[in-house]
Amino acid sequence: MNATNISWRDRFRQGMPTRRAALKALHWVMVPLFIWFLLVKPKDVTPFGPTAFQIHSILALVFVTLSLLWFADMMRRGLASRPGPKLTGWLRPLHLWMHRVLIWGLFFVAVTGFLLGLTSSIVLKAGGFLPIAPPLGLAQANQIVGTVHIVEFYALGVIAGGHVLFHIWRHYRLKDNALRIMVPKRFHPYL
């Protein structure tokens, strides 16, 4: 086929990374953001002034947007990760469920963040400019949703820690190159 017969969609796709490459990049952008939000709360940045709070809020908007994109990709095309041939027995479903729980968990963190804005008494703005939801002023519901939001995020942190340990165990115990699959090629010599 010559260049004149290529559709604009095909030309667009040729310039885009593969799904696996895009998800790998998404994964590695999410890791430091996830760690940031595990360690830094809004009350930790407010003493540094409104600019620090604004940056924290923008990072939260980026985190939620990427979480929703990851969830939408999984819902549309399924999980990109597959258990390797060295995973046997109950480890195969564990691998799949661990990834599903992480992606669904990120989605539910976004949902409870929306509910925090919805039950708030003031307009909360993601990134300082994007209204999260119309505030309904439901103080008791807001407190409950806030607790759920925090608990689910830290529970997700525990699951993410288990996920990391699982892949390190796979890489070194099963020797199935689990870490090489996810890290950029420039780090392969160190694994």
Side-chain angles (χ1 to χ4, degrees), residues 37-171:
F37 290 112
L38 281 173
L39 300 176
V40 180
K41 297 167 199 60
K43 70 177 183 175
D44 297 331
V45 296
T46 51
F48 297 101
T51 302
F53 185 79
Q54 175 78 14
I55 292 168
H56 184 78
S57 184
I58 289 170
L59 289 175
L61 179 59
V62 169
F63 183 77
V64 167
T65 301
L66 294 175
S67 296
L68 293 174
L69 287 172
W70 204 346
F71 178 76
D73 177 77
M74 183 190 74
M75 293 304 291
R76 183 171 179 266
R77 296 160 63 175
L79 282 175
S81 62
R82 301 286 179 256
K86 291 185 178 181
L87 281 180
T88 58
W90 62 274
L91 292 172
R92 292 181 74 78
L94 174 68
H95 176 271
L96 294 172
W97 280 105
M98 195 179 311
H99 287 92
R100 285 184 184 129
V101 167
L102 284 168
I103 297 169
W104 272 95
L106 289 169
F107 171 73
F108 282 120
V109 165
V111 168
T112 55
F114 168 77
L115 292 175
L116 274 171
L118 188 65
T119 58
S120 177
S121 59
I122 59 169
V123 176
L124 299 178
K125 295 182 180 179
F129 63 89
L130 182 66
I132 295 173
L136 299 178
L138 306 170
Q140 188 175 4
N142 187 265
Q143 190 172 16
I144 292 167
V145 170
T147 301
V148 169
H149 185 70
I150 291 166
V151 168
E152 74 182 338
F153 191 73
Y154 286 104
L156 200 58
V158 170
I159 294 166
H163 171 78
V164 169
L165 292 174
F166 178 72
H167 283 292
I168 290 170
W169 174 82
R170 281 181 62 189
H171 185 81

Side-chain angles (χ1 to χ4, degrees), residues 13-34:
R13 285 187 191 128
Q14 287 174 353
M16 298 298 291
T18 63
R19 178 183 183 215
R20 187 167 292 284
L23 287 175
K24 189 184 288 192
L26 174 67
H27 178 273
W28 288 108
V29 168
M30 293 291 284
V31 168
L33 289 172
F34 193 83

